[in-house]
């Protein structure tokens, strides 16, 4: 249902159908079945992959010889938050009086999925004997733990020596206008929980205790002030941020026995996991702390340098919109980090990201038709 009687484009019709399915991670709620039905109708070979409680699928069309272009994305969305704060119900999927497609997933990333499907349907109809293969790698576990989604599918593809030359991930990369920014890489993400042990005691008798807050503070200050690297032409310098700091019993007259700090590195290709870990340990040892570190690596940095994929995407954006695109590695992580481990050139290209994960998520409806055309022209540039 829309605010006007104007017929919807095929892309917007499909986007609305997908948004109306409340696929809060890791649920899929039939989104993938709908996509697979469309792909099957235009000749794709389908391979559903349910891993643990996560729905995924792999689909392929074309010849074994020649380059392989993969469209990747996710059908799961983040929770809505308080529904009463939404101007329109989050899963109603309507186009308002301002031409905005409103609903959870409009930007992240059911709009992109609809654009991919419609672009591929059109391309296969016009070029049934296209070069190489077109593939899809779709998951319902991107917004959640991401253990049984793209990461697990990639391991299966690796085990059977599947080749992916190029991949377009439909993450909402654009900043102001569709196609103004594409992501050609992402920083790595390395998290850690630090436990600093002291000795509990009475605040009136500090000589009988060891306050872990006082002990840890200089070390945390040094970690926060450390210059980790200078970055490079593609990545900003590595950043270190403390996101949680907890100590104390709740009482005002008790020195706590331990402190916990959670911190995260977003790191460039100028640093390594091992190097960052060693430098943290050296700083903590320098301050004589009794500590424990529990590390969690979410993803390594990856970079797609200028080449066939980036050139094809940039040329398509220029042809469709008339504007130059800007490659960027800013932002958080995406499933591109798993796909890149196959040696694949990865680019993220999607709609404007201004409202992702927010109440009243929305995207300019006409942008999705523009995105469809960009995907189509990219297919023409690479596989026609």
């Amino acid at each position: 249902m829309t605010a006007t009687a104007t017929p919807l484009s095929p892309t917007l019709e499909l986007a609305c159908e997908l948004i109306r399915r409340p696929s809060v991670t890791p649920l899929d709620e039939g989104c993938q079945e709908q996509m697979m039905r469309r792909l099957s109708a235009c000749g794709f070979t389908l391979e559903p992959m349910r891993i643990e409680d996560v729905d995924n699928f792999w689909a392929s069309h074309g010849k074994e010889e020649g380059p392989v272009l993969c469209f990747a994305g996710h059908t799961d969305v983040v929770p809505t938050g308080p529904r009463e704060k939404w101007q329109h119900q989050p899963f109603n999927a309507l186009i308002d009086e301002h031409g905005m497609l409103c609903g959870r997933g409009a930007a992240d990333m059911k709009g992109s999925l609809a654009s991919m499907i419609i672009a591929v349907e059109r391309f296969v109809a016009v070029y049934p004997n296209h070069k190489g293969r077109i593939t899809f790698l779709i998951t319902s576990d991107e917004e959640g733990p991401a253990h049984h989604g793209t990461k697990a599918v990639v391991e299966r593809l690796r085990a059977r020596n599947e080749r992916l030359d190029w991949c377009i991930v439909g993450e909402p990369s654009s900043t102001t206008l569709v196609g103004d920014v594409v992501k050609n890489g992402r920083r790595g993400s390395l998290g850690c929980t630090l436990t600093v042990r002291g000795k509990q005691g009475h605040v009136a008798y500090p000589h009988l205790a060891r306050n872990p807050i006082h002990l840890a503070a200089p070390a945390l200050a040094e970690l926060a002030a450390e210059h980790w690297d200078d970055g490079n032409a593609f990545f900003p310098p590595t950043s270190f941020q403390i996101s949680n700091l907890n100590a104390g019993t709740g009482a005002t007259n008790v020195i706590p026995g331990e402190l916990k700090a959670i911190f995260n590195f977003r790191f460039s290709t100028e640093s390594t996991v091992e190097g960052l870990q060693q430098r943290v340990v050296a700083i903590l040892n320098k301050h004589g702390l009794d500590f424990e570190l529990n590390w969690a690596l979410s993803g390594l940095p990856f970079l797609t340098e200028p080449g066939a994929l980036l050139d094809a995407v940039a040329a398509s954006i220029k042809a469709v919109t008339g504007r130059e695109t800007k490659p960027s590695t800013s932002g958080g992580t995406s499933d591109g980090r798993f796909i890149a481990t196959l040696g694949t050139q990865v680019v993220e290209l999607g709609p404007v990201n201004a409202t992702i994960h927010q109440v009243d998520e929305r995207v300019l409806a006409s942008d999705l038709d523009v995105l469809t055309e960009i995907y189509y022209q990219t297919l023409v540039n690479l596989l026609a």
Side-chain angles (χ1 to χ4, degrees):
M1 179 179 180
T2 64
T4 69
T6 306
L8 296 180
S9 69
T11 296
L12 289 171
E13 280 189 1
L14 180 54
C16 288
E17 290 173 12
L18 293 174
I19 291 168
R20 290 181 185 127
R21 297 177 181 272
S23 54
V24 176
T25 190
L27 301 179
D28 171 69
E29 296 294 336
C31 293
Q32 292 181 25
E33 181 183 350
Q34 195 169 16
M35 294 175 68
M36 285 190 286
R37 189 163 56 244
R38 301 283 293 252
L39 292 172
S40 176
C42 59
F44 274 74
T45 300
L46 303 174
E47 186 178 353
M49 294 188 191
R50 184 167 176 86
I51 302 173
E52 298 294 333
D53 61 344
V54 174
D55 288 307
N56 311 283
F57 78 82
W58 171 254
S60 178
H61 183 282
K63 309 174 185 69
E64 286 300 322
E65 64 275 8
V68 181
L69 171 62
C70 178
F71 286 98
H74 59 91
T75 53
D76 58 321
V77 297
V78 296
T80 63
R83 292 199 180 199
E84 66 275 9
K85 293 190 176 182
W86 285 69
Q87 184 177 358
H88 308 289
Q89 283 302 297
F91 298 112
N92 277 2
L94 59 82
I95 299 175
D96 69 13
E97 65 274 16
H98 304 294
M100 305 297 291
L101 173 61
C102 305
R104 176 59 85 220
D108 189 13
M109 58 174 286
K110 292 180 176 180
S112 297
L113 296 179
S115 291
M116 290 173 176
I117 294 290
I118 301 304
V120 166
E121 285 178 340
R122 177 181 161 200
F123 179 79
V124 169
V126 177
Y127 300 97
N129 297 311
H130 60 81
K131 294 187 294 186
R133 284 194 297 153
I134 305 167
T135 61
F136 277 79
L137 196 173
I138 306 297
T139 184
S140 63
D141 183 34
E142 196 273 347
E143 301 290 8
H147 296 313
H148 305 303
T150 300
K151 181 180 181 181
V153 174
V154 163
E155 290 310 310
R156 292 190 179 189
L157 298 178
R158 190 194 316 279
R160 64 194 201 196
N161 296 316
E162 288 276 2
R163 180 169 51 85
L164 272 68
D165 297 288
W166 307 309
C167 180
I168 298 175
V169 184
E171 290 293 345
S173 62
S174 304
T175 301
T176 305
L177 300 167
V178 65
D180 60 356
V181 174
V182 298
K183 305 290 187 182
N184 66 321
R186 295 281 192 164
R187 294 174 295 175
S189 178
L190 176 63
C192 186
T193 299
L194 163 67
T195 302
V196 176
R197 290 178 284 264
K199 182 179 179 182
Q200 185 173 319
H202 197 294
V203 296
Y205 302 96
H207 58 290
L208 299 178
R210 294 177 63 248
N211 191 323
I213 302 173
H214 295 185
L215 295 170
L220 294 176
E222 183 169 342
L223 288 168
E226 182 75 1
H227 181 76
W228 302 96
D229 61 45
D230 292 317
N232 54 37
F234 300 101
F235 289 95
T238 291
S239 69
F240 169 91
Q241 288 292 313
I242 299 170
S243 58
N244 286 269
L245 193 63
N246 297 287
T249 64
T252 61
N253 60 350
V254 177
I255 294 170
E258 69 175 27
L259 171 144
K260 285 189 181 291
I262 299 175
F263 60 83
N264 178 268
F265 286 102
R266 293 301 165 105
F267 63 103
S268 76
T269 49
E270 295 298 307
S271 288
T272 65
V273 172
E274 295 77 14
L276 293 172
Q277 291 174 331
Q278 289 168 6
R279 290 172 67 184
V280 168
V281 169
I283 289 172
L284 297 175
N285 282 334
K286 172 184 168 183
H287 290 270
L289 300 179
D290 178 7
F291 65 90
E292 179 181 335
L293 293 166
N294 288 300
W295 296 96
L297 177 65
S298 298
L300 294 168
F302 70 91
L303 177 69
T304 295
E305 297 196 39
L309 178 60
L310 202 54
D311 290 349
V313 167
S316 299
I317 293 169
K318 178 71 172 178
V320 175
T321 69
R323 68 180 66 102
E324 305 288 342
T325 192
K326 177 185 176 184
S328 170
T329 60
S330 64
T333 59
S334 78
D335 276 359
R337 68 192 189 274
F338 303 126
I339 298 166
T341 65
L342 295 172
T344 308
Q345 294 181 33
V346 178
V347 166
E348 296 172 27
L349 169 60
V352 173
N353 56 27
T355 62
I356 58 173
H357 293 205
Q358 296 181 16
V359 166
D360 288 335
E361 180 180 347
R362 60 200 179 278
V363 66
L364 189 63
S366 59
D367 276 359
L368 295 186
D369 291 321
V370 173
L371 185 62
T372 300
E373 188 64 27
I374 292 171
Y375 288 155
Y376 176 80
Q377 290 298 331
T378 302
L379 283 159
V380 171
N381 289 342
L382 291 171
L383 297 181

